[in-house]
């Protein structure tokens, strides 16, 4: 109960802070975009792009905080899970480090349509793929990811496997805690699993 109350207070605070940060951030972003249109020198253009990128990063973290505090209602729709997996792999494929990996799929062609919140499931799939990419980058040169789907009785199952050592047992109890990360403060931007 105490932990729940603390999370509720933190959520309210996070929402308030995120809202206050988003307003000036939107102004900064607009000003930078305006300067980018006027600037002709490539070096200055690059600095402005960097500013805009970092501004967008702050905005994403702020949105993540608000989503954590006030999760939106699921949008259930009949969804082709295999198509969602393919789209997630396509999105991950825009990342240069991900393209260096050997990715194999074993997707059951006869999956039924599933009632899913496709945005949330795609976010989970993409996070797992990028987490696998990061783990592989730390451990090995010959990165491999296998993505599977299959019908299992009356259930549908999907796996994302990589050829790394996996999650150490001592951190398993905290992997779903908000803000938990193993990536250190330099890379910390997400909200954990």
């Amino acid at each position: 109960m105490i932990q729940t109350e603390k999370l509720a207070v933190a959520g309210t605070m996070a929402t308030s802070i995120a809202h206050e940060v988003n307003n000036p951030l939107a102004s900064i972003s607009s000003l930078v975009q305006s300067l980018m249109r006027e600037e002709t020198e490539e070096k200055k253009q690059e600095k402005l792009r960097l500013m805009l990128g970092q501004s967008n990063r702050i905005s994403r973290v702020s949105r993540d905080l608000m989503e954590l505090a006030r999760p939106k209602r699921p949008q259930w729709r009949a969804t082709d899970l295999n198509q969602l997996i393919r789209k997630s792999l396509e999105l991950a494929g825009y990342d240069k480090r991900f393209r260096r990996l050997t990715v194999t799929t074993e997707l059951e062609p006869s999956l039924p349509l599933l009632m899913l919140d496709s945005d949330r499931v795609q976010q989970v799939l993409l996070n797992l793929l990028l987490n696998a990419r990061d783990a592989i980058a730390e451990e090995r040169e010959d990165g491999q990811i296998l993505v599977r789907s299959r019908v299992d009785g009356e259930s549908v199952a999907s796996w994302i496997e990589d050829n790394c050592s996996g999650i150490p047992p001592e951190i398993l109890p905290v992997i779903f805690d908000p803000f938990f990360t193993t990536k250190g403060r330099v890379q910390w931007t997400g909200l954990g699993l």
Side-chain angles (χ1 to χ4, degrees):
M1 288 286 285
I2 292 170
Q3 183 67 14
T4 302
E5 286 174 16
K6 282 182 185 176
L7 283 173
V9 169
T12 302
M13 224 170 73
T15 301
S16 176
I17 292 168
H19 182 71
E20 290 302 316
V21 167
N22 277 341
N23 290 334
L25 203 54
S27 299
I28 291 168
S29 179
S30 294
L31 289 169
V32 170
Q33 289 176 56
S34 176
L35 288 171
M36 285 175 72
R37 283 191 293 274
E38 297 168 8
E39 186 55 60
T40 56
E41 191 180 323
E42 182 55 36
K43 265 190 167 179
K44 289 182 181 175
Q45 274 275 349
E46 183 57 35
K47 288 179 181 175
L48 289 169
R49 279 193 290 272
L50 182 62
M51 289 170 62
L52 186 61
Q54 293 304 306
S55 173
N56 289 339
R57 182 174 169 216
I58 294 168
S59 184
R60 278 193 306 273
V61 171
S62 178
R63 267 195 316 274
D64 286 348
L65 280 170
M66 290 196 324
E67 218 171 274
L68 177 69
R70 289 187 309 214
K72 64 178 187 172
R73 289 191 182 280
Q75 303 294 314
W76 304 106
R77 289 185 209 101
T79 306
D80 179 342
L81 180 61
N82 285 340
Q83 186 59 31
L84 213 50
I85 290 169
R86 287 186 201 97
K87 182 65 177 169
S88 300
L89 287 167
E90 180 186 334
L91 290 170
Y94 288 112
D95 179 86
K96 287 181 201 171
R97 293 181 300 155
F98 193 84
R99 287 195 300 261
R100 293 186 196 132
L101 307 174
T102 301
V103 179
T104 309
T105 58
E106 295 176 6
L107 304 180
E108 170 67 46
S110 61
L111 287 186
L113 292 178
L114 303 171
M115 292 305 289
L116 302 173
D117 182 323
S118 57
D119 289 341
R120 287 184 178 189
V121 173
Q122 186 170 48
Q123 183 180 6
V124 169
L125 291 168
L126 194 54
N127 283 342
L128 290 171
L129 290 167
L130 297 179
N131 283 347
R133 173 209 62 196
D134 292 344
I136 289 167
E138 288 178 16
E139 287 189 23
R140 34 189 337 131
E141 300 282 322
D142 62 335
Q144 297 175 31
I145 294 178
L146 170 62
V147 185
R148 296 183 192 164
S149 67
R150 79 168 191 226
V151 176
D152 188 12
E154 292 191 19
S155 299
V156 171
S158 180
W159 296 262
I160 296 176
E161 300 174 25
D162 60 57
N163 62 337
C164 285
S165 57
I167 300 171
E170 64 272 11
I171 68 168
L172 280 174
V174 295
I175 61 172
F176 295 107
D177 288 358
F179 308 109
F180 175 76
T181 183
T182 59
K183 296 178 184 175
R185 294 189 64 72
V186 174
Q187 297 181 40
W188 176 79
T189 58
L191 299 175
L193 292 174

